[in-house]
């Protein structure tokens, strides 16, 4: 049984992430989306909010059979704990490559039993990032083509609290 773990900040999850999760799900028998605590990135949504938003978005988009978990610490420890065989990541422009390359080689040094597997972004999502979505939302822009309705509601809710 092949098990994959797709880690990320998911702050918040976008259609770009969902596309990767949907495609990866087809190749693995069991899949986890792992929301990283990532305190040094100063996340917009709390860890609990990101887990909830991610779960709701996957359900809304009909991506079934994925378990959403959270973790704080080393990815390889989380992967080991969940019996994963592969670490899934998405690749957009060149700018993702260097970071992903470094992470994949570092993870392999620490844990050679995991394979890092990369999914190329869909053309229409190649410029989409959580940061862009947050920025547009903060200035009152329309993010409906970038994120599911449930995420849009969460962004509006956050704005309401901030304002
Ligand atoms: P991290 O902080 O770990 O990079 P992100 O939530 O930003 O967390 O991204 C998680 C993974 O999803 C990364 O591998 C990233 O390259 C990928 N990803 C993010 N947005 C997209 C997108 N629009 N298309 C494809 N992959 C994406």
């Amino acid at each position: 049984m092949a098990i994959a773990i797709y880690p990320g900040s998911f702050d918040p999850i976008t259609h770009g992430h969902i596309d990767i999760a949907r495609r990866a799900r087809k190749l693995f028998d069991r899949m986890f989306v792992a929301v990283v605590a990532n305190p040094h990135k100063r996340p917009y949504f709390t860890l609990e909010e990101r887990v909830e938003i991610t779960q709701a978005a996957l359900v809304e988009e009909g991506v079934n059979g994925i378990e959403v978990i959270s973790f704080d610490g080393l990815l390889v420890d989380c992967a080991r704990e969940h019996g994963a065989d592969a670490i899934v990541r998405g690749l957009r422009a060149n700018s993702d490559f260097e970071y992903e390359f470094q992470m994949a080689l570092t993870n392999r040094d620490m844990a050679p039993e995991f394979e890092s597997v990369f999914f190329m972004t869909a053309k229409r999502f190649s410029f989409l990032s959580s940061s862009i979505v947050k920025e547009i939302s903060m200035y009152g822009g329309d993010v409906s083509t970038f994120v599911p309705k449930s995420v849009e509601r969460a962004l509006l809710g956050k704005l309401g609290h901030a304002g």
Side-chain angles (χ1 to χ4, degrees):
M1 187 161 95
I3 304 178
I5 187 161
Y6 176 26
S9 307
F10 302 103
D11 189 32
I13 189 166
T14 69
H15 281 310
H17 294 120
I18 293 165
D19 177 59
I20 302 292
R22 179 182 279 121
R23 285 157 55 205
R25 177 69 189 96
K26 289 188 196 152
L27 298 186
F28 294 96
D29 302 300
R30 194 161 175 213
M31 195 168 148
F32 296 94
V33 163
V35 183
V36 187
N38 231 343
H40 59 273
K41 265 202 169 179
R42 299 250 255 118
Y44 187 57
F45 290 100
T46 67
L47 184 59
E48 293 71 28
E49 285 170 336
R50 284 182 282 139
V51 167
E52 247 175 64
I53 294 167
T54 301
Q55 254 157 358
L58 290 171
V59 168
E60 184 183 338
E61 293 301 311
V63 186
N64 301 312
I66 291 185
E67 293 160 71
V68 181
I69 56 171
S70 64
F71 80 98
D72 193 0
L74 286 179
L75 172 61
V76 291
D77 290 337
C78 178
R80 227 173 245 137
E81 196 183 310
H82 289 87
D85 304 286
I87 294 168
V88 164
R89 295 284 286 175
L91 283 179
R92 284 161 296 185
N94 259 346
S95 50
D96 277 340
F97 179 78
E98 221 165 307
Y99 176 72
E100 296 296 343
F101 186 63
Q102 186 186 19
M103 285 309 298
L105 294 194
T106 309
N107 284 335
R108 190 185 298 154
D109 265 351
M110 288 190 288
E113 67 269 35
F114 305 123
E115 220 29 88
S116 291
V117 178
F118 297 94
F119 286 77
M120 213 54 75
T121 184
K123 225 194 290 178
R124 65 188 187 285
F125 302 136
S126 58
F127 292 101
L128 180 52
S129 68
S130 302
S131 319
I132 285 179
V133 167
K134 281 178 280 193
E135 187 133 346
I136 295 173
S137 160
M138 273 181 224
Y139 291 109
D142 177 13
V143 293
S144 60
T145 54
F146 306 136
V147 296
K149 280 263 168 304
S150 53
V151 178
E152 219 184 319
R153 279 197 298 275
L155 283 161
L156 286 173
K158 198 76 171 174
L159 272 184
H161 281 294

